[in-house]
Amino acid sequence: MIIHFKRSLVLILGLTLLIGCAKAPVDVVDEEAELRAKVAQLIQAERNNFTSTDALEIPLGSVLSGGGSRPMDDSIEGWKRMVSFYQEQLEIPLIYGVDAVHGHNNLKGATLFPHNIGLGAANNPELVRQIGIATGKEVKATGIHWNFSPTLAVVQDVRWGRAYESFSEDPQRVSALGLAYIQGLQSTGIAATAKHFLADGGTSFNTGSLGYLIDQGDAQLSEEELRRVHLFPYLSAINEGDVLTVMVSFSSVNGEKMHGSKYWISDVLKEELGFKGLVISDWEAIHQLEGSLYQQIVTAINAGVDLLMQPNNWKDSVDRLYRAVKNNDISMERIDDAIARINYVKAELGLFDDSFTPESADVVYSDTHKQLAREAVSQSLVLLKNNRNVLPLEKNTKILLIGPGSDNAGLANGGWTYSWQGESSGVNIPHATTLKMAFESVANEHQGMITTDLSKLNEVDVVVLALAELPYAEGVGDARDLSLSGHMMHPDNQAAIDFAKSINKPVITILTSGRPRVITNELNDWDAFVMAWLYGSEAQGITDVLYGDKNFSGTLPITWPKTSDTSTVSTQKADRDTSNVLFEYGFGLRYE
Ligand code: GLC
């Protein structure tokens, strides 16, 4: 009997254990699934690697389009369908981000405004606010929620490939224009991003990461200079602009990678400045932190990053983050805080109550936006030389137009245009007006003449020499040589420069580039010199001023150097080398 009893007891115990185990795995599985789904909210994938089926399995908190990443059907409707396709799979709506840094530049046919450096030259906050509104509307027309813009970099060395994404070397100018853009953009219901926190524009030459010269480098600065120059624009962005997101910089401060800096991200940005939105990491930037992916994630999240931009290895990132929470290397309190910040932003955009309503497609490249862009171009131009008042031109002037900047919308737009590195021709920017087209539209109406035929030199009154940089983005643009034949200058510039030097006609030079170039010697051969920056899709804004319908109003947002060693020309440098200054910060001529 005993044996039977024992056997029954064993059987009951076994069954209990089995049920218990059976019961336990069900609970454990639910808990695990719940925690995985929870931590997935802190991960952002790139659309190319994240399908709607993935979204069903692992409900990420966010998806992005990297530069140039667009749906197969890249129409306005196609963009909207892509975003809603993700949303339909998700309980918690995701937030979708793009880089619309000079208009909705991923969208074919969007209005393309001057890059920030040109807006810095215009130095008109109301104009920039309007551009923020126009950009927000065109982004919203495609169903996108979030714009990784504006860059609040305070560029100190123009050899940096991202100099054109900065408004200025002066923190006050950056602060005023950055605030205006944030207020304009967010007034349309699109989240703005103050980036890249902190001191992305203050890194030293030859300290770059990934083989770059200066990009993602080390800002070797005192805390006083870091706060006075590089932190300053974030104060108004947060206090007055209520900016909803901040993106961390790839770069370092005094040897510490910003993505691992609890002091700057949590103690200063969140505690001291009271930033209540979400902090996102930059593109796989945490991979530059010490240790394994697991350790990188622990470091970044514990430093205060709330959302990890892990475009490719998002699945592994969810897994490591899950394990870090299970191991209590990241506290549940930190996870809950990050989710609260992410949800705060989503709620502000109306993603939870479904009040996020796309704009009408009519706003894209509307006449209003086109006129605004044309006005921005005019205000961004800086007149640096005008001997014998060769400008303004009469509208019946006979012009020989030479140089690579004459008829190429790709060069006029630079990086972050249709693709990450930009377009070296205008083939993908069909709606744009080039310089040649703008000149022709005036000449045709006023019996003028525009020709590019060198043999007609004797028939013309003046030569317009249109020089240009090739497009670039980020570290690709980092330059050791800023001369007109130096890094990222179009190969056709030199022949045009040499031709213009050889003739006996007035020469008006227009430079299309994202930063000052070294023109110290060539300037003597030119009667007039106009800096047009990277002006976007509306070149009529240039001819409006060259023919005198409008006056110049732009001023240099950055010091113009004599040589390529630009480490100490900024007005912000205590050791500023004024002997290396060709044109002062703030300089710009006007018509009398
Ligand atoms: C890039 C840039 C950042 C951009 C992000 C997403 O590497 O550093 O400005 O917003 O990736 O494209």
Side-chain angles (χ1 to χ4, degrees), residues 102-103 110-114 119 127 130-131 134 138 365-380 535-542 544 550:
H102 67 123
T111 311
L112 295 171
F113 296 95
L119 301 180
L127 174 77
Q130 292 304 320
I131 291 172
E138 297 201 18
Y365 206 53
S366 66
D367 280 344
T368 308
H369 290 179
K370 193 173 170 178
Q371 290 314 312
L372 177 63
R374 180 171 179 166
E375 178 58 26
V377 173
S378 296
Q379 293 189 29
S380 70
Y535 56 84
S537 59
E538 308 308 316
Q540 314 92 310
I542 297 177
D544 289 344
K550 296 177 188 170

Side-chain angles (χ1 to χ4, degrees), residues 44 46 64-68 97-101 106 147-149 151 162 165 193 195-196 200 215-216 247-250 280-285 309 311 416 420 474:
Q44 180 188 68
E46 214 282 340
L64 87 147
S65 278
V98 295
D99 294 274
V101 296
N106 271 347
N147 182 4
F148 304 133
S149 191
T151 294
R162 306 196 75 163
E165 297 184 64
T193 306
K195 74 181 187 180
H196 311 77
D200 49 348
D215 191 34
Q216 307 182 16
M247 186 181 292
V248 182
S249 180
F250 279 104
I280 183 170
S281 59
D282 203 338
W283 187 282
E284 295 188 338
M309 186 188 294
W416 300 102
W420 177 46
E474 304 190 41

Side-chain angles (χ1 to χ4, degrees), residues 496-532:
I497 291 168
D498 296 343
F499 175 80
K501 188 180 170 78
S502 70
I503 59 175
N504 186 20
K505 294 274 181 183
V507 174
I508 297 158
T509 299
I510 301 172
L511 175 57
T512 300
S513 78
R515 56 195 162 184
R517 301 294 303 209
V518 172
I519 58 168
T520 315
N521 299 328
E522 294 84 352
L523 184 62
N524 302 325
D525 300 324
W526 305 334
D527 297 272
F529 177 55
V530 176
M531 183 55 166

Side-chain angles (χ1 to χ4, degrees), residues 158-162 212 421 469 472-479 487-488 515:
V158 294
R159 290 173 291 187
W160 186 34
R162 306 196 75 163
Y212 296 137
Q421 289 295 318
E469 276 189 325
Y472 53 82
E474 304 190 41
V476 173
D478 284 4
H487 187 58
M488 300 312 280
R515 56 195 162 184

